[in-house]
Amino acid sequence: MSTARERILEATGELLASKDALAISTRAICDRAKVGAPEIYRQFGDKQGLLTAVADIGFERFLAEKRRNPLTEDPVADLCTAWDSHVAFALRNPYLYRLMFTPTGDAKPQAIKEAQAILLKAVERCRDAGRLRMAPELAGQSILSANVGVCMMALSFPELFGDLAISYAVRDAVIGKVTGDEREDTRIGTATVLAQALLGTLTGTAPVTAAALDELTDAHRPEAAGPGPSGGGWARHSGVAEPGVRRGWARHSGVAEPDVRRG
């Protein structure tokens, strides 16, 4: 038979499945656990002590999932997997996640230190493979801070930040930065090419002509597009069309080509 403490913890966890901790009353907890209000204070000191205990249980579940993440020969890919599993946990347990990562009062879930330790081991694997650009401690703190930030924004403003593509973009940017695995965007910016052409015009060093634009375009075009997620050009796999810089841009845009020459 379960104890009063176990019933209170279970009842609070069940209520957290559908509402925020601040919206859960001690009366609702007591009714569900079939205990009197004084029992909460005997077991946990106050409601905040109860919520801290529930957050600790949430961290136990969270860390158990972290330990089950598979390890491969690619430590950077494993970091990405760990990031995605973190986000998945948050989306499955929105109110519990908020309680875990936005504690109030002086009592804080101590399991956050173990979460950091697990992440630090993953980062140290990257260092041992020669794929880390900063101190492991700073890298781990940076990744966890960004991971939690993405989750909190997705939970708080799902209409604006709930798209998983945002999580993937931040994940790749942060992990790429700490490991040196950033993917360079190889698309040619029309504005960049045009700005450089106009700079030559305004300084009197070169006119804006179709040939000049083509020369600038070629200078900015990499010899080979970097591999995307599936091994092709980034833009091709991202679903974003490459900005086109065509011969005679000014002529086709409807803007007259200025004929400003040296002197």
Side-chain angles (χ1 to χ4, degrees), residues 60-107:
E60 289 177 8
R61 291 169 49 196
F62 175 77
L63 295 173
E65 291 189 12
K66 286 290 185 185
R67 296 187 193 98
R68 289 196 294 269
N69 284 336
L71 295 181
T72 70
E73 295 180 355
D74 187 341
V76 176
D78 292 345
L79 274 181
C80 293
T81 298
W83 174 292
D84 293 343
S85 71
H86 183 131
V87 173
F89 180 92
L91 296 180
R92 288 197 311 272
N93 307 278
Y95 301 111
L96 176 60
Y97 184 88
R98 280 202 189 97
L99 178 64
M100 291 163 54
F101 285 95
T102 58
T104 59
D106 295 331

Side-chain angles (χ1 to χ4, degrees), residues 36-50:
E39 192 66 35
I40 289 180
Y41 297 94
R42 275 196 295 269
Q43 296 290 340
F44 303 99
D46 55 19
K47 182 184 176 183
Q48 186 56 50
L50 166 60

Side-chain angles (χ1 to χ4, degrees), residues 197-209 212 256-263:
L198 290 176
L199 179 61
T201 297
L202 293 173
T203 57
T205 58
V208 178
T209 64
E257 291 186 13
D259 186 16
V260 182
R261 302 183 184 278
R262 187 186 305 272

Side-chain angles (χ1 to χ4, degrees), residues 38 53 90 117 128 144 156 189 206 219 222:
D128 295 343
L144 185 56
S156 300

Side-chain angles (χ1 to χ4, degrees), residues 46-57:
D46 55 19
K47 182 184 176 183
Q48 186 56 50
L50 166 60
L51 293 177
T52 299
V54 172
D56 283 330
I57 293 175

Side-chain angles (χ1 to χ4, degrees), residues 32-239:
R32 197 176 190 94
K34 295 182 172 50
V35 299
E39 192 66 35
I40 289 180
Y41 297 94
R42 275 196 295 269
Q43 296 290 340
F44 303 99
D46 55 19
K47 182 184 176 183
Q48 186 56 50
L50 166 60
L51 293 177
T52 299
V54 172
D56 283 330
I57 293 175
F59 266 108
E60 289 177 8
R61 291 169 49 196
F62 175 77
L63 295 173
E65 291 189 12
K66 286 290 185 185
R67 296 187 193 98
R68 289 196 294 269
N69 284 336
L71 295 181
T72 70
E73 295 180 355
D74 187 341
V76 176
D78 292 345
L79 274 181
C80 293
T81 298
W83 174 292
D84 293 343
S85 71
H86 183 131
V87 173
F89 180 92
L91 296 180
R92 288 197 311 272
N93 307 278
Y95 301 111
L96 176 60
Y97 184 88
R98 280 202 189 97
L99 178 64
M100 291 163 54
F101 285 95
T102 58
T104 59
D106 295 331
K108 311 289 185 185
Q110 295 303 301
I112 187 67
K113 296 177 181 178
E114 187 172 353
Q116 281 186 298
I118 291 175
L119 181 55
L120 181 59
K121 288 182 180 179
V123 170
E124 287 173 340
R125 290 184 63 226
C126 296
R127 178 201 60 194
D128 295 343
R131 299 175 69 184
L132 196 65
R133 282 183 168 178
M134 60 184 68
E137 293 79 8
L138 178 58
Q141 291 169 330
S142 301
I143 293 170
L144 185 56
S145 297
N147 212 169
V148 173
V150 162
C151 292
M152 293 305 301
M153 293 301 284
L155 296 179
S156 300
F157 306 98
E159 298 85 2
L160 296 175
F161 300 98
D163 191 336
L164 279 177
I166 298 172
S167 174
Y168 299 148
V170 178
R171 176 199 68 190
D172 291 348
V174 173
I175 293 178
K177 184 68 174 179
V178 303
T179 63
D181 277 19
E182 301 107 317
R183 287 195 182 99
E184 182 180 359
D185 185 346
T186 58
R187 294 172 296 175
I188 300 171
T190 304
T192 301
V193 174
L194 183 60
Q196 292 200 14
L198 290 176
L199 179 61
T201 297
L202 293 173
T203 57
T205 58
V208 178
T209 64
L213 286 170
D214 286 343
E215 184 177 348
L216 282 167
T217 298
D218 291 339
H220 283 77
R221 190 187 302 280
E223 292 183 3
S230 304
W234 182 93
R236 190 162 58 251
H237 290 281
S238 69

Side-chain angles (χ1 to χ4, degrees), residues 6-16 28-30 32-33:
E6 290 170 340
R7 294 200 305 276
I8 293 170
L9 289 171
E10 182 178 0
T12 307
E14 290 172 350
L15 291 169
L16 270 173
I29 295 170
C30 292
R32 197 176 190 94

